[in-house]
Amino acid sequence: MPVRVRYFTDPACSASWAAEPALRKLMVEFGADLSFTYVMSGLTRQYEGDPSRHVTTWLDDARRSGMPLDPRPWLEAPIASSYPACMAVKAAQEQGTDAGERYLRALREGLLCRGRKLDTTEALVEEARPAGLDVQRFRIDLGSHAIVEAFGADLELWRALPQEARPTIQFGDGEPIFGPSRYEELREAAVGAGARPRGEGWPDPLRALSRFDRMATAEVQAVCDLPRPRAEAELWHLATDHRVIPVPVLTGTLWELA
C-alpha cells in the first residue's frame, strides 16, 4: 500500500515553486509508493500593504532554488487574493488526482512565470483547457458550494498544524516537515514512513520531459541527478537538435519537448 503524502501548498507560493525540484525527484525515485494529496492552505484572503515585499520574497526563493520566475506582476497588476486559485485547484481535483496536479502546475507557471493575473473565474477557466480538463465540468464545479466546503476543509487541516510555513509535507502519520527542506531530509522521511525507492535509476532529460511536460533547469538537474552545468549543457544540446524548446522566463528557463 502506498504511503499517503499530504502536501500543504498554495498556487501563488514562491517557496512551493522553489520546492518543485525536490517534489518531482520524490515522484521519480519512489513512483507509486507515494500517494500525494494536495491541501490548499491559502496564502491570504486579501493582499494588503506594499506589494514590493513580495518581489523580494520571490527573488530570494528564485536565488535559493534556481527556479525561474517573474515577480514584476507584483508591481504592475498583482492578484487580489490566492483564494480563488486555491478553490480552482479543488475544482480540478474533482476530475482526478492527476488532473488536479496538472492544473496546480499550470497555475504555478501562470502566476510565477507568465505574469498571469489568475484571481477571477474567467482567467482560471482559461487555464483548464491546456491542463487537459473538461472545461465545462470545471466551470460548473468551480461555482459550486461543494468546492467552497472542500477548500474550507483544507484550511481547517492547515490551521490545525502547529506551525505555518509553506510548503509543508507530511509522510503518513509522521511529523510534518515545515518550509524549505533538503531532498535528503524528505527522502529520509519517506523511507521512515514505509516508502521504498523503485531502484530503476534516474531518467535522462528527454524521458524526464516526456513525463512532466515542462520543467525548469533546476528540476531536470534534480530529477536526472545531474550537476547543474551538465543539465544545462544537455538541454541546450537537445535544443540545438530541435528536440526540446527553451521557454525564457525573467530569471531562467523552462523546457518542453519540441
Side-chain angles (χ1 to χ4, degrees):
M1 180 178 294
V3 172
R4 182 195 67 181
V5 183
R6 278 181 175 169
Y7 189 67
F8 295 82
T9 186
D10 182 293
C13 175
S14 58
S16 295
W17 178 243
E20 289 284 272
L23 189 68
R24 287 184 157 184
K25 189 169 186 175
L26 283 173
M27 293 176 178
V28 169
E29 183 169 11
F30 290 91
D33 226 30
L34 294 179
S35 176
F36 286 85
T37 297
Y38 295 87
V39 183
M40 296 297 104
S41 57
L43 275 170
T44 184
R45 183 187 296 272
Q46 185 72 37
Y47 285 104
E48 298 176 346
D50 182 4
S52 65
R53 62 190 176 90
H54 297 295
V55 173
T56 301
T57 297
W58 280 27
L59 290 175
D60 285 345
D61 286 331
R63 180 181 57 204
R64 171 174 56 82
S65 66
M67 289 292 283
L69 49 73
D70 187 345
R72 289 176 297 181
W74 285 113
L75 303 177
E76 299 166 359
I79 59 174
S81 168
S82 69
Y83 276 34
C86 287
M87 285 188 280
V89 173
K90 301 310 296 181
Q93 289 174 344
E94 292 294 300
Q95 299 185 36
T97 301
D98 289 346
E101 187 176 287
R102 291 196 309 273
Y103 186 73
L104 174 58
R105 175 68 183 211
L107 293 190
R108 291 204 201 284
E109 291 183 10
L111 287 162
L112 286 108
C113 297
R114 297 192 288 119
R116 295 271 287 141
K117 195 173 185 294
L118 300 176
D119 59 359
T120 64
T121 296
E122 290 309 312
L124 292 163
V125 169
E126 283 180 21
E127 296 294 327
R129 183 171 287 105
L133 302 186
D134 179 329
V135 177
Q136 188 60 30
R137 177 184 172 186
F138 174 79
R139 183 186 290 276
I140 293 170
D141 287 337
L142 184 56
S144 72
H145 185 65
I147 293 305
V148 177
E149 291 183 342
F151 178 42
D154 276 12
L155 289 178
E156 287 185 11
L157 287 172
W158 168 245
R159 290 165 181 163
L161 293 177
Q163 177 179 338
E164 291 191 2
R166 298 173 187 85
T168 292
I169 189 167
Q170 182 181 24
F171 297 90
D173 296 323
E175 289 296 317
I177 299 173
F178 299 99
S181 304
R182 296 180 300 107
Y183 181 74
E184 292 74 17
E185 180 182 2
L186 300 177
R187 185 184 190 279
E188 181 180 353
V191 171
R196 293 294 176 263
R198 295 186 308 152
E200 296 182 6
W202 304 106
D204 60 34
L206 280 179
R207 284 177 55 207
L209 285 165
S210 294
R211 172 170 181 176
F212 291 111
D213 290 333
R214 189 178 295 113
M215 304 177 73
T217 306
E219 292 176 304
V220 174
Q221 175 188 354
V223 166
C224 301
D225 201 38
L226 295 173
R228 178 79 178 208
R230 182 175 169 187
E232 290 179 334
E234 291 196 20
L235 286 165
W236 282 111
H237 179 74
L238 291 167
T240 302
D241 288 344
H242 307 290
R243 302 177 74 183
V244 304
I245 299 171
V247 180
V249 181
L250 183 66
T251 66
T253 308
L254 293 171
W255 302 87
E256 60 187 27
L257 292 176

